[in-house]
Amino acid sequence: MTGPITTHRHGNVLVIVSDNPPVNALGAAVRQGIESAVKEGVVDDTVHAMVIRCDGRTFFAGADITEFGKPMAEPVLPILVDMIEAADKPIVAAIHGTALGGGCEVALACHYRIAVPSAKLGFPEVKLGLLPGAGGTQRAPRLAGVPLALEMCAKGDPIAAKRALDAGLIDKLAGEDSLEADAITFARGMIGKPLPRASHKTAKPDPQAVEAFTKANARRFRGFEAPEANIACVVKATEVPYEEGVQFERQQFMELMMGVQSAAQRHIFFAERKASKIDGIADDIRLRDIKKVGVIGAGTMGGGISMNFLSAGIPVTIVEMQQEALDRGTGIIRKNYEATAAKGRLTAEQVDKAMGLLTPTLDFDALADCDLVIEAVYENMDVKKEVFTRLDGIVKQGAILASNTSYLNINEIAAVTKRPQDVLGMHFFSPANVMKLLEVVRGDKTADDVLATVMALAKKIRKVAVVAGVCYGFVGNRMLMPRQVEAMKLLMEGATPEQIDKVHVDFGMPMGPFQMSDLAGVDIGWHRDPSRIENIRDALAAEKRWGQKTKAGWYDYDDKRNPSPSPRVAEIIDEFRKKSGATQHVVTDEEIVERTLYPMVNEGALILAEGKAQRASDIDVVWIYGYGWPVYRGGPMFWADTEGLKKIVAGLEKHGFDVAPLLKAKAEKGERFTA
Ligand code: 3H9
């Protein structure tokens, strides 16, 4: 047999093996191979049982997503899994790695499942805007009950083998190194016994669990179509026979598949993976060894940055100027870890282990032997230059020197050192231990291996890294600026902060520009002179309306930080409106979208044309992982494509914006930014 599926015999057991790197996706050749192997097993009288397993790093990780949206070659997965289940000889799925999506569906269609303890099972389809479309939503509740099926299908997080065993999703744990042998022994033991078929079982209705689950996850599911469809399918499994349920599932699956949300989420799946690839740098470039990291500054940012490395088992030396600041910073790191432990997501030993890797010090010279030093001090060019000059004189040659600046020019910072090739930007997003995005800023002189090392390191500390070029605010903050400018103008023309924020929240953002300002601090970047009032922000800051931290900002806040519209802010806005002489009009929600979101797309087009982002999909990744752009809209550039670039251009022109030449050209040619 050629192709990804091979078979071999162990006496009366036929072992069917898939070898389709990297993740054994169930593409056409794999499906065809499994079909003919199972048929071979069924007709061969000397075969009494079968085992299906995979070579390489994982059991089938799902349908081949690259085939979606194209005509599907036979056999399609739903037919294949039913054929597996219908076989009249025991078939055992032998699972290692991750049995995901269609892979998990193949496993549930087998009569039995055996897995190594490190294996995981899951239905991540919902994260692609889909649902398990090959019987998964029908078999899972029949095998494991409604609550677990809901959790797996509608949330998409995989579960560990032990939990799957306890829940009845798998039948046995195998030895970590003896999966095939254990599966064969298990299969032999089942010969001649009645065959359990998941689709023949019934799933008990559990309306209370459905209601509680929906309620508990309302926030998480806001705006998404797929979770609801997943829930509906699981419920259907409790109401109708399998054949009917699976038809419902199929119809729901197709609807989601044809929709914009799934296209957006699939775009982001591939965009995230593409982002780690650096144009013009070979995949096999030799990387520098990063065994020890230095962080300068134990403030919120420095502490958060340090935690990423500590959690990944990489020792960190953290430097501060004052003992008090050092103690405070270290204390916060410990508190954060302990809070995670209290939620059961870390053990006390893991907390101790992470803290044990931290060396707090006031001695700058302690950074000498670090392989990477990240500066996270005050955002001021002179201060940064001073720090880098000092670092240059202390840190060993070959080490990487990084700045966590969110706006400043990395080339200028690098120029104060004698090793600009070792300098780059590592722009973490706050809170740095939580936010997934890392903008890696490539200076003009940054060496290829330095960039590649940091991109690889990002993966190790579980960040999604995107390469950005040197420009004010890089990709993310640069695109934020036109949004802020327009939001302020809209206030002058008659909109309220509440209205503008609501439009953004309704669009799917976690918060609008004014809510964001209140969270970050209205006083950030303020000149700190209460007598100098040049704009509304100055007026707010002068009255100590600094945002949530002072319980007053663009909104008023109660003790639980619940916001309410502020009459005082309305007064201030009114005063400025009068002073500005801006023409007042009724600002519609549509105008807010056109004037705050379209300019972001415009800025994105400039960024692309200037080569400050490698590809449009990288810009989308920045906005999804750094700013909470709704993933079901695929990021600003994908969203612009789905809206239609002609519409975006017309909207920008209507409001008098200069349209970026690249955006205009693409619109005229009927092209898109994303594939
Ligand atoms: C489904 O099953 C629908 C069915 O219910 C119904 C059908 C009718 N297809 O993530 P990595 C590529 S929907 C195609 O870096 P890791 C990926 O793009 C599917 N390609 O590795 C990358 O390519 P490249 C449900 C795939 O070790 C390479 O493999 N399943 C697929 O960090 C390595 O990926 C899922 O949603 C795929 N299904 O993580 C699972 N999966 O090297 C999606 C991966 O060119 N996959 N690739 O950039 C994952 O979650 C992770 O890849 C996995 C490994 C955890 C498996």
Side-chain angles (χ1 to χ4, degrees):
M1 210 180 274
T2 56
I5 302 294
T6 54
T7 57
H8 57 266
R9 286 285 292 269
H10 276 261
N12 55 357
V13 179
L14 180 73
V15 182
I16 302 169
V17 183
S18 170
D19 184 13
N20 186 33
V23 297
N24 279 305
L26 286 150
V30 174
R31 297 195 304 274
Q32 284 153 9
I34 297 174
E35 181 187 43
S36 47
V38 171
K39 275 187 181 158
E40 173 196 322
V42 168
V43 296
D44 187 336
D45 288 342
T46 63
V47 170
H48 295 168
M50 290 174 249
V51 167
I52 300 180
R53 70 160 187 85
C54 292
D55 270 344
R57 64 193 212 220
T58 179
F59 193 75
F60 308 108
D64 187 336
I65 308 167
T66 59
E67 288 182 351
F68 288 178
K70 302 172 195 158
M72 203 53 92
E74 303 274 335
V76 294
L77 202 55
I79 301 293
L80 180 68
V81 296
D82 282 351
M83 178 213 147
I84 292 171
E85 196 190 57
D88 56 4
K89 298 171 183 177
I91 304 183
V92 178
I95 303 168
H96 77 293
T98 42
L100 297 179
C104 193
E105 291 175 299
V106 166
L108 299 195
C110 290
H111 306 110
Y112 302 99
R113 289 150 294 280
I114 178 168
V116 297
S118 60
K120 287 185 172 166
L121 283 83
F123 290 120
E125 285 92 338
V126 71
K127 297 185 179 176
L128 298 169
L130 295 171
L131 50 81
T137 65
Q138 303 304 296
R139 287 193 176 91
R142 284 177 161 83
L143 284 167
V146 166
L148 185 60
L150 284 176
E151 199 183 312
M152 289 179 75
C153 296
K155 283 166 91 174
D157 299 327
I159 62 165
K162 174 73 173 61
R163 185 155 177 224
L165 178 71
D166 294 343
L169 269 190
I170 63 172
D171 303 283
K172 195 174 165 51
L173 289 180
E176 202 64 66
D177 299 314
S178 55
L179 179 61
E180 180 175 304
D182 292 355
I184 291 169
T185 307
F186 182 81
R188 259 195 204 117
M190 296 304 149
I191 294 169
K193 295 192 176 160
L195 291 176
R197 293 187 170 93
S199 74
H200 291 193
K201 293 179 182 266
T202 48
K204 220 169 108 219
D206 196 342
Q208 272 171 347
V210 176
E211 197 190 325
F213 178 81
T214 310
K215 209 165 149 196
N217 291 289
R219 226 179 117 101
R220 178 181 176 137
F221 295 161
R222 182 176 75 94
F224 288 89
E225 289 161 2
E228 205 178 306
N230 272 279
I231 295 169
C233 287
V234 170
V235 170
K236 193 59 106 182
T238 66
E239 296 169 346
V240 296
Y242 173 79
E243 291 69 27
E244 216 177 298
V246 93
Q247 265 180 32
F248 179 76
E249 178 196 83
R250 190 85 206 131
Q251 175 224 329
Q252 296 280 311
F253 179 84
M254 291 316 291
E255 263 175 40
L256 290 175
M257 172 72 96
M258 306 311 282
V260 173
Q261 290 206 349
S262 175
Q265 290 179 256
R266 282 181 274 135
H267 160 71
I268 287 301
F269 177 85
F270 289 113
E272 180 185 330
R273 282 153 182 84
K274 213 186 282 168
S276 64
K277 303 192 170 50
I278 316 164
D279 288 344
I281 298 186
D283 283 347
D284 59 354
I285 188 168
R286 205 190 146 100
L287 304 180
R288 298 191 189 183
D289 227 7
I290 307 293
K291 290 211 177 75
K292 192 173 172 192
V293 172
V295 174
I296 307 173
T300 315
M301 218 48 208
I305 292 170
S306 302
M307 288 179 75
N308 292 306
F309 295 98
L310 298 173
S311 303
I314 301 172
V316 174
T317 300
I318 191 163
V319 185
E320 252 300 346
M321 311 255 278
Q322 308 287 339
Q323 188 65 46
E324 201 199 336
L326 189 64
D327 292 344
R328 196 184 327 120
T330 317
I332 291 173
I333 295 178
R334 178 170 276 284
K335 243 195 208 153
N336 280 341
Y337 274 128
E338 281 168 356
T340 312
K343 288 182 201 144
R345 286 196 255 124
L346 278 181
T347 61
E349 294 77 58
Q350 284 169 317
V351 174
D352 286 343
K353 193 173 160 223
M355 289 308 291
L357 292 170
L358 182 68
T359 310
T361 175
L362 298 176
D363 178 13
F364 220 80
D365 290 348
L367 298 171
D369 65 342
C370 288
D371 304 298
L372 162 70
V373 179
I374 305 168
E375 158 280 308
V377 301
Y378 186 58
E379 185 81 343
N380 171 293
M381 185 52 100
D382 292 339
V383 178
K384 304 260 181 203
K385 281 183 176 171
E386 203 186 304
V387 168
F388 273 77
T389 307
R390 218 169 147 196
L391 277 179
D392 195 26
I394 292 171
V395 183
K396 68 179 180 188
Q397 291 303 313
I400 298 174
L401 308 181
S403 170
N404 176 51
T405 177
S406 22
Y407 287 94
L408 301 177
N409 188 321
I410 294 296
N411 293 332
E412 226 182 299
I413 296 173
V416 301
T417 72
K418 288 184 211 70
R419 38 175 141 170
Q421 73 282 358
D422 296 336
V423 178
L424 46 53
M426 286 176 79
H427 179 209
F428 289 85
F429 286 67
S430 188
N433 52 319
V434 177
M435 295 296 287
K436 294 274 289 177
L437 182 67
L438 177 66
E439 276 183 325
V440 180
V441 188
R442 181 184 205 169
D444 290 350
K445 296 198 174 144
T446 305
D448 286 356
D449 67 331
V450 167
L451 183 63
T453 299
V454 170
M455 292 298 282
L457 184 66
K459 203 163 185 186
K460 230 184 241 172
I461 59 170
R462 303 164 75 93
K463 295 288 171 201
V464 178
V466 170
V467 179
V470 175
C471 56
Y472 192 69
F474 316 123
V475 174
N477 283 344
R478 177 169 163 180
M479 286 169 70
L480 199 58
M481 282 183 281
R483 188 183 88 163
Q484 294 302 107
V485 168
E486 280 309 305
M488 296 306 288
K489 280 193 194 159
L490 282 162
L491 284 189
M492 290 293 101
E493 294 169 31
T496 61
E498 300 82 72
Q499 185 194 6
I500 297 172
D501 282 343
K502 184 171 184 307
V503 168
H504 284 252
V505 171
D506 289 349
F507 182 82
M509 307 289 281
M511 62 191 99
F514 300 100
Q515 291 161 326
M516 190 169 151
S517 171
D518 272 359
L519 183 69
V522 176
D523 58 321
I524 286 192
W526 177 47
H527 48 60
R528 313 227 150 245
D529 177 357
S531 66
R532 208 174 110 201
I533 296 179
E534 286 157 6
N535 51 40
I536 302 179
R537 203 280 294 264
D538 288 349
L540 259 55
E543 292 185 16
K544 251 196 157 194
R545 298 192 70 96
W546 293 353
Q548 292 194 15
K549 61 188 168 191
T550 56
K551 288 197 200 157
W554 291 99
Y555 295 84
D556 289 335
Y557 292 89
D558 66 16
D559 287 342
K560 288 185 180 148
R561 296 201 171 195
N562 292 316
S564 57
S566 162
R568 177 65 193 131
V569 171
E571 263 171 37
I572 295 175
I573 293 172
D574 213 41
E575 280 165 31
F576 273 85
R577 277 181 189 154
K578 284 184 186 130
K579 265 194 265 174
S580 77
T583 322
Q584 303 287 299
H585 66 277
V586 176
V587 177
T588 62
D589 291 357
E590 190 191 357
E591 183 177 352
I592 293 173
V593 168
E594 288 171 353
R595 288 181 54 186
T596 57
L597 299 183
Y598 287 14
M600 292 175 63
V601 174
N602 205 34
E603 197 65 38
L606 291 174
I607 287 171
L608 269 182
E610 290 168 24
K612 304 300 182 192
Q614 296 191 96
R615 40 189 97 87
S617 62
D618 282 8
I619 297 179
D620 289 339
V621 170
V622 165
W623 271 84
I624 298 277
Y625 289 108
Y627 301 83
W629 184 282
V631 61
Y632 57 79
R633 292 194 197 268
M637 306 317 274
F638 182 89
W639 173 70
D641 284 338
T642 55
E643 287 290 287
L645 298 188
K646 281 199 172 80
K647 181 177 164 191
I648 304 280
V649 169
L652 287 167
E653 284 173 342
K654 181 167 87 185
H655 297 293
F657 290 99
D658 286 336
V659 179
L662 180 67
L663 170 56
K664 202 166 195 166
K666 280 193 176 289
E668 276 163 12
K669 286 191 243 163
E671 289 177 1
R672 297 167 54 96
F673 282 113
T674 59

